[in-house]
Amino acid sequence: MRSKISIIGAGNVGASVAQCCLLKNLGTVVMLDAVENVAKGKALDMSHAAALHDQLFSVSGTSDYADTSGSEVVIITAGRARKPGMSRNDLLKINAAIVDDVTRKVVKHSPDAILIVITNPLDAMSQVAWKASGLDHRRVIGLSGLLDSSRLRYYIAEATGAGPHTVTGLTMGEHGDSMAVLTRLATVGGVPATKLLSAEKLAEIRYRTAHGGGEVVDLMGCSAYYAPGIAATAMAEAILSDSHTTYPCSVYMTGQYGVDGIYMCVPIRLGACGVEDIIELELTDNEKNQIAETARHIRGLLKELEE
Ligand code: APR
């Protein structure tokens, strides 16, 4: 079956997602941007490489939402990105207006799509997109934990000398400084990371994971896009292949972990209908406190949005 993936915002993140989707042959890719020629130019550049990597599907650029019609997956990256010194939250009101607007247009043309939100601040923007979409909350999902836990897995791999793919790890809560980085549950080849690394090293890894995006911004002068591109593509693949994969994602909470009525990152099962279920883990008191704190932080942002 031919799938259609539309990407709203053809900036650094949008283009990175598009290229990953093409490399994986997930389906036809449409990149939409307010600046039409940027989307068209990037699509042409990617098309010029199609012969070199057995690309099966086409990619196009547009600023017309009609061209996104009938998409199975729509990935929202439109918005402003962070500059050095800016937090994700500095983008709150500007990006909320953009996400609200683009989501309404997307859903008009693709009412059966599943939406993956990448625009920051992620958890609040996922909530804005869900409200604007009118869709069941299971069909609007934020990219957060898959990226954050990949950063965690990299730092543990770096510290132990293991291959990153042999490391497991989980982050929960906000896609931001208050996230809960659950090093207690991380493993290296099945061995608890707590057996291999000192408490001090694990604390350092938790800090670098939570601030990994900021570290990239400080180095490059713009926000990350290679890792977000691959992470969003993995989510799209799980949806399009109905793989029931367990990934940490930002989803609408309905009482799990004591949190209700906001988007927040938790482990979920992801398939063709979107969020199949939220997996509830036994947490320590300290971890429960962290979840409560990170949920408070997300609620604070949503309150700011209402003011
Ligand atoms: N409609 C369509 N496209 C838009 C709109 C809009 N209303 N507003 C902005 N855009 C486009 C811009 O023209 C730009 O091409 O969104 C793109 C954003 O690209 P970049 O500035 O390169 O930002 P990027 O690094 O891709 O980050 C996008 O993802 O990870 C998050 O924090 C990041 O919120 C940011 C988003």
Side-chain angles (χ1 to χ4, degrees):
M1 195 185 75
R2 172 179 291 248
S3 302
K4 181 168 175 179
I5 303 145
S6 289
I7 300 165
I8 313 303
N12 286 338
V13 174
S16 175
V17 179
Q19 196 177 30
C20 292
C21 288
L22 293 170
L23 286 168
K24 291 206 129 207
N25 277 321
L26 288 194
T28 301
V29 174
V30 177
M31 277 189 287
L32 182 146
D33 200 282
V35 187
E36 187 174 23
N37 278 346
V38 168
K40 284 195 157 149
K42 290 188 182 186
L44 183 61
D45 190 11
M46 288 175 205
S47 301
H48 286 163
L52 304 176
H53 62 94
D54 302 325
Q55 187 179 307
L56 300 176
F57 300 105
S58 65
V59 53
S60 57
T62 186
S63 58
D64 182 352
Y65 281 84
D67 294 330
T68 68
S69 288
S71 299
E72 277 90 18
V73 173
V74 178
I75 300 171
I76 297 176
T77 78
R80 295 264 187 86
R82 272 199 290 177
K83 297 277 179 253
M86 280 175 96
S87 74
R88 290 188 181 96
N89 302 350
D90 290 334
L91 304 173
L92 185 66
K93 289 200 175 169
I94 303 168
N95 283 354
I98 294 172
V99 168
D100 181 277
D101 178 53
V102 305
T103 303
R104 288 174 197 278
K105 291 172 179 160
V106 157
V107 171
K108 200 170 146 210
H109 292 277
S110 299
D112 299 322
I114 292 184
L115 311 187
I116 298 175
V117 180
I118 307 188
T119 306
N120 277 312
L122 190 278
D123 306 283
M125 292 308 105
S126 301
Q127 186 123 7
V128 168
W130 166 56
K131 282 198 175 155
S133 72
L135 296 175
D136 185 294
H137 60 76
R138 288 181 181 76
R139 302 184 76 81
V140 182
I141 309 164
L143 163 69
S144 58
L146 194 54
L147 171 61
D148 297 322
S149 63
S150 183
R151 287 178 173 147
L152 167 64
R153 293 166 66 191
Y154 168 71
Y155 289 128
I156 290 175
E158 191 190 35
T160 57
H165 65 289
T166 67
V167 179
T168 63
L170 179 65
T171 59
M172 287 174 59
E174 187 199 17
H175 183 51
D177 298 351
S178 79
M179 77 178 67
V181 183
L182 302 177
T183 46
R184 179 179 67 85
L185 300 175
T187 67
V188 181
V191 177
T194 49
K195 291 270 176 222
L196 303 172
L197 296 169
S198 67
E200 292 74 28
K201 187 69 193 172
L202 288 168
E204 183 194 317
I205 286 172
R206 283 195 293 277
Y207 182 87
R208 283 194 81 187
T209 300
H211 297 84
E215 203 174 329
V216 172
V217 174
D218 290 342
L219 287 166
M220 300 204 297
C222 66
S223 78
Y225 51 94
Y226 295 115
I230 293 180
T233 303
M235 287 174 67
E237 188 174 22
I239 293 162
L240 293 170
S241 63
D242 195 22
S243 67
H244 321 291
T245 306
T246 299
Y247 281 148
C249 299
S250 184
V251 299
Y252 189 74
M253 303 294 290
T254 54
Q256 302 85 353
Y257 297 99
V259 180
D260 188 32
I262 61 169
Y263 270 75
M264 185 183 96
C265 177
V266 284
I268 64 158
R269 241 183 302 273
L270 189 57
C273 301
V275 182
E276 294 178 337
D277 54 55
I278 291 175
I279 296 160
E280 291 205 69
L281 302 167
E282 287 287 322
L283 297 180
T284 64
D285 286 345
N286 187 30
E287 288 162 349
K288 283 180 193 160
N289 290 340
Q290 272 186 284
I291 297 296
E293 178 54 33
T294 196
R296 255 195 302 280
H297 200 265
I298 296 168
R299 279 188 207 288
L301 284 187
L302 292 170
K303 195 153 173 266
E304 245 182 80
L305 256 187
E306 281 165 14
E307 282 161 5

Short mmCIF file of all heavy atoms in Angstrom, two decimals, residues 116-158:
data_model
loop_
_atom_site.label_atom_id
_atom_site.label_comp_id
_atom_site.label_asym_id
_atom_site.label_seq_id
_atom_site.Cartn_x
_atom_site.Cartn_y
_atom_site.Cartn_z
N ILE A 116 1.83 13.86 14.23
CA ILE A 116 3.02 13.82 15.10
C ILE A 116 3.50 15.26 15.24
O ILE A 116 3.81 15.91 14.23
CB ILE A 116 4.14 12.94 14.49
CG1 ILE A 116 3.66 11.50 14.34
CG2 ILE A 116 5.40 13.00 15.37
CD1 ILE A 116 4.66 10.58 13.62
N VAL A 117 3.54 15.75 16.46
CA VAL A 117 3.92 17.15 16.70
C VAL A 117 5.39 17.20 17.13
O VAL A 117 5.81 16.43 18.00
CB VAL A 117 3.02 17.77 17.80
CG1 VAL A 117 3.39 19.23 18.05
CG2 VAL A 117 1.55 17.66 17.40
N ILE A 118 6.14 18.14 16.52
CA ILE A 118 7.55 18.30 16.89
C ILE A 118 7.83 19.73 17.38
O ILE A 118 8.78 19.97 18.10
CB ILE A 118 8.49 17.97 15.70
CG1 ILE A 118 8.19 16.60 15.11
CG2 ILE A 118 9.94 18.05 16.14
CD1 ILE A 118 9.18 16.12 14.05
N THR A 119 6.98 20.67 16.99
CA THR A 119 7.21 22.07 17.35
C THR A 119 7.26 22.23 18.88
O THR A 119 6.48 21.63 19.60
CB THR A 119 6.07 22.94 16.78
OG1 THR A 119 5.96 22.68 15.37
CG2 THR A 119 6.34 24.43 17.00
N ASN A 120 8.18 23.04 19.34
CA ASN A 120 8.37 23.28 20.79
C ASN A 120 7.69 24.56 21.26
O ASN A 120 7.49 25.47 20.45
CB ASN A 120 9.88 23.38 21.08
CG ASN A 120 10.50 22.00 21.24
OD1 ASN A 120 9.97 21.16 21.95
ND2 ASN A 120 11.61 21.79 20.56
N PRO A 121 7.37 24.66 22.56
CA PRO A 121 7.56 23.65 23.62
C PRO A 121 6.60 22.48 23.43
O PRO A 121 5.38 22.67 23.36
CB PRO A 121 7.30 24.40 24.91
CG PRO A 121 6.51 25.60 24.52
CD PRO A 121 6.81 25.93 23.10
N LEU A 122 7.18 21.31 23.32
CA LEU A 122 6.52 20.15 22.72
C LEU A 122 5.21 19.73 23.37
O LEU A 122 4.22 19.50 22.67
CB LEU A 122 7.54 19.00 22.73
CG LEU A 122 7.22 17.73 21.98
CD1 LEU A 122 6.34 16.79 22.74
CD2 LEU A 122 6.63 18.01 20.61
N ASP A 123 5.21 19.62 24.69
CA ASP A 123 4.01 19.08 25.34
C ASP A 123 2.85 20.06 25.20
O ASP A 123 1.72 19.65 24.90
CB ASP A 123 4.32 18.76 26.81
CG ASP A 123 5.53 17.84 26.91
OD1 ASP A 123 5.38 16.65 26.65
OD2 ASP A 123 6.64 18.35 27.21
N ALA A 124 3.13 21.34 25.37
CA ALA A 124 2.08 22.35 25.22
C ALA A 124 1.61 22.42 23.77
O ALA A 124 0.41 22.54 23.49
CB ALA A 124 2.58 23.71 25.68
N MET A 125 2.56 22.32 22.81
CA MET A 125 2.16 22.39 21.39
C MET A 125 1.36 21.16 20.97
O MET A 125 0.48 21.25 20.11
CB MET A 125 3.40 22.55 20.49
CG MET A 125 4.12 23.87 20.63
SD MET A 125 3.04 25.31 20.46
CE MET A 125 2.90 25.84 22.15
N SER A 126 1.63 20.01 21.59
CA SER A 126 0.84 18.81 21.29
C SER A 126 -0.60 19.04 21.74
O SER A 126 -1.56 18.66 21.06
CB SER A 126 1.43 17.58 21.98
OG SER A 126 2.76 17.39 21.55
N GLN A 127 -0.73 19.69 22.90
CA GLN A 127 -2.08 19.96 23.43
C GLN A 127 -2.81 20.97 22.52
O GLN A 127 -3.99 20.80 22.23
CB GLN A 127 -1.95 20.53 24.86
CG GLN A 127 -3.27 20.72 25.55
CD GLN A 127 -3.34 19.96 26.87
OE1 GLN A 127 -2.36 19.40 27.33
NE2 GLN A 127 -4.51 19.95 27.50
N VAL A 128 -2.08 21.98 22.06
CA VAL A 128 -2.67 22.97 21.15
C VAL A 128 -3.12 22.28 19.86
O VAL A 128 -4.23 22.51 19.37
CB VAL A 128 -1.64 24.09 20.83
CG1 VAL A 128 -2.10 24.96 19.66
CG2 VAL A 128 -1.37 24.95 22.07
N ALA A 129 -2.28 21.42 19.33
CA ALA A 129 -2.61 20.72 18.08
C ALA A 129 -3.82 19.82 18.28
O ALA A 129 -4.72 19.76 17.43
CB ALA A 129 -1.42 19.90 17.60
N TRP A 130 -3.85 19.11 19.40
CA TRP A 130 -4.99 18.21 19.65
C TRP A 130 -6.29 19.01 19.70
O TRP A 130 -7.27 18.66 19.04
CB TRP A 130 -4.78 17.45 20.97
CG TRP A 130 -6.03 16.79 21.43
CD1 TRP A 130 -6.79 15.90 20.73
CD2 TRP A 130 -6.70 17.01 22.68
NE1 TRP A 130 -7.89 15.54 21.48
CE2 TRP A 130 -7.86 16.20 22.66
CE3 TRP A 130 -6.43 17.79 23.80
CZ2 TRP A 130 -8.75 16.18 23.73
CZ3 TRP A 130 -7.30 17.76 24.87
CH2 TRP A 130 -8.44 16.96 24.82
N LYS A 131 -6.27 20.13 20.45
CA LYS A 131 -7.50 20.94 20.57
C LYS A 131 -7.91 21.49 19.20
O LYS A 131 -9.08 21.48 18.85
CB LYS A 131 -7.28 22.08 21.55
CG LYS A 131 -7.36 21.61 22.99
CD LYS A 131 -7.57 22.77 23.93
CE LYS A 131 -7.76 22.28 25.35
NZ LYS A 131 -7.38 23.30 26.33
N ALA A 132 -6.95 21.99 18.45
CA ALA A 132 -7.26 22.58 17.14
C ALA A 132 -7.75 21.52 16.16
O ALA A 132 -8.54 21.81 15.27
CB ALA A 132 -6.03 23.29 16.58
N SER A 133 -7.29 20.29 16.33
CA SER A 133 -7.60 19.23 15.35
C SER A 133 -9.02 18.70 15.47
O SER A 133 -9.60 18.27 14.49
CB SER A 133 -6.62 18.06 15.51
OG SER A 133 -6.91 17.33 16.69
N GLY A 134 -9.55 18.69 16.69
CA GLY A 134 -10.85 18.05 16.91
C GLY A 134 -10.76 16.52 16.83
O GLY A 134 -11.78 15.84 16.85
N LEU A 135 -9.55 15.98 16.75
CA LEU A 135 -9.38 14.53 16.64
C LEU A 135 -9.41 13.87 18.01
O LEU A 135 -9.18 14.53 19.04
CB LEU A 135 -8.04 14.20 15.97
CG LEU A 135 -7.84 14.66 14.53
CD1 LEU A 135 -6.41 14.37 14.09
CD2 LEU A 135 -8.83 13.95 13.60
N ASP A 136 -9.64 12.56 18.02
CA ASP A 136 -9.46 11.78 19.24
C ASP A 136 -8.01 11.98 19.71
O ASP A 136 -7.09 12.01 18.89
CB ASP A 136 -9.70 10.30 18.90
CG ASP A 136 -9.64 9.42 20.13
OD1 ASP A 136 -8.55 9.31 20.74
OD2 ASP A 136 -10.68 8.85 20.47
N HIS A 137 -7.82 12.11 21.03
CA HIS A 137 -6.46 12.41 21.51
C HIS A 137 -5.45 11.32 21.17
O HIS A 137 -4.25 11.56 21.10
CB HIS A 137 -6.46 12.73 23.01
CG HIS A 137 -6.97 11.64 23.90
ND1 HIS A 137 -6.23 10.54 24.19
CD2 HIS A 137 -8.15 11.50 24.55
CE1 HIS A 137 -6.92 9.76 25.00
NE2 HIS A 137 -8.10 10.32 25.23
N ARG A 138 -5.94 10.10 20.92
CA ARG A 138 -5.01 9.01 20.58
C ARG A 138 -4.35 9.24 19.21
O ARG A 138 -3.37 8.58 18.86
CB ARG A 138 -5.75 7.67 20.54
CG ARG A 138 -6.13 7.19 21.91
CD ARG A 138 -6.83 5.85 21.85
NE ARG A 138 -7.21 5.40 23.16
CZ ARG A 138 -8.25 5.88 23.85
NH1 ARG A 138 -9.02 6.81 23.32
NH2 ARG A 138 -8.51 5.44 25.05
N ARG A 139 -4.88 10.17 18.43
CA ARG A 139 -4.37 10.40 17.08
C ARG A 139 -3.44 11.61 16.99
O ARG A 139 -2.97 11.96 15.91
CB ARG A 139 -5.54 10.57 16.10
CG ARG A 139 -6.47 9.36 16.08
CD ARG A 139 -7.57 9.49 15.06
NE ARG A 139 -7.08 9.23 13.72
CZ ARG A 139 -6.91 8.01 13.19
NH1 ARG A 139 -7.19 6.95 13.92
NH2 ARG A 139 -6.47 7.87 11.98
N VAL A 140 -3.18 12.24 18.14
CA VAL A 140 -2.26 13.40 18.15
C VAL A 140 -1.17 13.11 19.17
O VAL A 140 -1.45 12.98 20.37
CB VAL A 140 -3.01 14.70 18.50
CG1 VAL A 140 -2.06 15.90 18.46
CG2 VAL A 140 -4.19 14.91 17.55
N ILE A 141 0.06 12.98 18.69
CA ILE A 141 1.15 12.46 19.53
C ILE A 141 2.38 13.36 19.37
O ILE A 141 2.73 13.75 18.26
CB ILE A 141 1.52 11.02 19.08
CG1 ILE A 141 0.25 10.16 19.01
CG2 ILE A 141 2.53 10.40 20.04
CD1 ILE A 141 0.45 8.88 18.23
N GLY A 142 3.02 13.66 20.49
CA GLY A 142 4.21 14.51 20.43
C GLY A 142 5.49 13.68 20.42
O GLY A 142 5.60 12.65 21.09
N LEU A 143 6.46 14.16 19.64
CA LEU A 143 7.79 13.54 19.63
C LEU A 143 8.59 14.11 20.80
O LEU A 143 8.88 15.31 20.81
CB LEU A 143 8.52 13.87 18.32
CG LEU A 143 10.04 13.63 18.36
CD1 LEU A 143 10.37 12.17 18.43
CD2 LEU A 143 10.72 14.27 17.18
N SER A 144 8.90 13.28 21.76
CA SER A 144 9.74 13.77 22.86
C SER A 144 10.62 12.65 23.38
O SER A 144 11.82 12.61 23.12
CB SER A 144 8.87 14.35 23.98
OG SER A 144 7.95 13.38 24.48
N GLY A 145 10.01 11.68 24.06
CA GLY A 145 10.79 10.66 24.75
C GLY A 145 11.65 9.79 23.85
O GLY A 145 12.70 9.31 24.28
N LEU A 146 11.22 9.62 22.61
CA LEU A 146 12.03 8.77 21.72
C LEU A 146 13.37 9.46 21.45
O LEU A 146 14.42 8.82 21.41
CB LEU A 146 11.26 8.53 20.42
CG LEU A 146 11.81 7.41 19.55
CD1 LEU A 146 11.94 6.12 20.31
CD2 LEU A 146 10.91 7.23 18.34
N LEU A 147 13.31 10.79 21.32
CA LEU A 147 14.53 11.57 21.13
C LEU A 147 15.32 11.66 22.44
O LEU A 147 16.53 11.42 22.46
CB LEU A 147 14.13 12.98 20.64
CG LEU A 147 15.22 14.04 20.56
CD1 LEU A 147 16.32 13.62 19.60
CD2 LEU A 147 14.61 15.37 20.12
N ASP A 148 14.63 12.00 23.53
CA ASP A 148 15.33 12.17 24.81
C ASP A 148 15.96 10.86 25.28
O ASP A 148 17.08 10.83 25.78
CB ASP A 148 14.36 12.70 25.88
CG ASP A 148 13.83 14.08 25.52
OD1 ASP A 148 14.62 14.89 24.98
OD2 ASP A 148 12.63 14.35 25.74
N SER A 149 15.23 9.75 25.10
CA SER A 149 15.78 8.47 25.56
C SER A 149 16.92 8.02 24.65
O SER A 149 17.84 7.32 25.08
CB SER A 149 14.70 7.40 25.65
OG SER A 149 14.15 7.15 24.38
N SER A 150 16.89 8.46 23.38
CA SER A 150 18.01 8.14 22.49
C SER A 150 19.27 8.90 22.94
O SER A 150 20.39 8.37 22.89
CB SER A 150 17.63 8.50 21.05
OG SER A 150 18.67 8.15 20.18
N ARG A 151 19.05 10.13 23.39
CA ARG A 151 20.19 10.89 23.94
C ARG A 151 20.73 10.18 25.18
O ARG A 151 21.94 10.03 25.35
CB ARG A 151 19.74 12.32 24.28
CG ARG A 151 19.52 13.17 23.02
CD ARG A 151 19.03 14.56 23.33
NE ARG A 151 19.01 15.36 22.10
CZ ARG A 151 18.14 16.32 21.82
NH1 ARG A 151 17.19 16.63 22.70
NH2 ARG A 151 18.20 16.97 20.68
N LEU A 152 19.82 9.74 26.05
CA LEU A 152 20.23 9.01 27.26
C LEU A 152 21.03 7.76 26.88
O LEU A 152 22.10 7.49 27.46
CB LEU A 152 18.97 8.61 28.05
CG LEU A 152 19.16 7.59 29.17
CD1 LEU A 152 20.06 8.15 30.27
CD2 LEU A 152 17.81 7.19 29.77
N ARG A 153 20.53 7.02 25.91
CA ARG A 153 21.20 5.78 25.50
C ARG A 153 22.59 6.07 24.93
O ARG A 153 23.53 5.32 25.16
CB ARG A 153 20.33 5.05 24.47
CG ARG A 153 19.03 4.53 25.08
CD ARG A 153 18.03 4.12 24.03
NE ARG A 153 18.49 2.97 23.27
CZ ARG A 153 17.91 2.54 22.16
NH1 ARG A 153 16.86 3.17 21.65
NH2 ARG A 153 18.37 1.48 21.54
N TYR A 154 22.69 7.19 24.21
CA TYR A 154 24.01 7.56 23.67
C TYR A 154 24.99 7.86 24.79
O TYR A 154 26.13 7.38 24.79
CB TYR A 154 23.88 8.79 22.74
CG TYR A 154 25.24 9.35 22.43
CD1 TYR A 154 26.11 8.66 21.58
CD2 TYR A 154 25.69 10.52 23.04
CE1 TYR A 154 27.39 9.13 21.34
CE2 TYR A 154 26.96 11.00 22.80
CZ TYR A 154 27.81 10.30 21.95
OH TYR A 154 29.08 10.76 21.72
N TYR A 155 24.54 8.63 25.80
CA TYR A 155 25.47 9.02 26.87
C TYR A 155 25.90 7.79 27.69
O TYR A 155 27.05 7.70 28.13
CB TYR A 155 24.84 10.09 27.77
CG TYR A 155 24.73 11.44 27.07
CD1 TYR A 155 23.52 12.13 27.03
CD2 TYR A 155 25.83 12.02 26.46
CE1 TYR A 155 23.41 13.36 26.39
CE2 TYR A 155 25.74 13.24 25.81
CZ TYR A 155 24.52 13.91 25.78
OH TYR A 155 24.43 15.12 25.14
N ILE A 156 24.96 6.86 27.89
CA ILE A 156 25.33 5.64 28.63
C ILE A 156 26.30 4.80 27.78
O ILE A 156 27.28 4.26 28.29
CB ILE A 156 24.07 4.83 29.01
CG1 ILE A 156 23.28 5.58 30.09
CG2 ILE A 156 24.45 3.43 29.51
CD1 ILE A 156 21.96 4.94 30.46
N ALA A 157 26.03 4.73 26.49
CA ALA A 157 26.92 3.98 25.59
C ALA A 157 28.32 4.60 25.61
O ALA A 157 29.34 3.89 25.70
CB ALA A 157 26.36 4.00 24.18
N GLU A 158 28.37 5.92 25.57
CA GLU A 158 29.66 6.62 25.56
C GLU A 158 30.43 6.32 26.86
O GLU A 158 31.64 6.09 26.84
CB GLU A 158 29.38 8.12 25.43
CG GLU A 158 30.61 8.95 25.15
CD GLU A 158 30.31 10.45 25.26
OE1 GLU A 158 29.48 10.84 26.11
OE2 GLU A 158 30.91 11.21 24.50
#
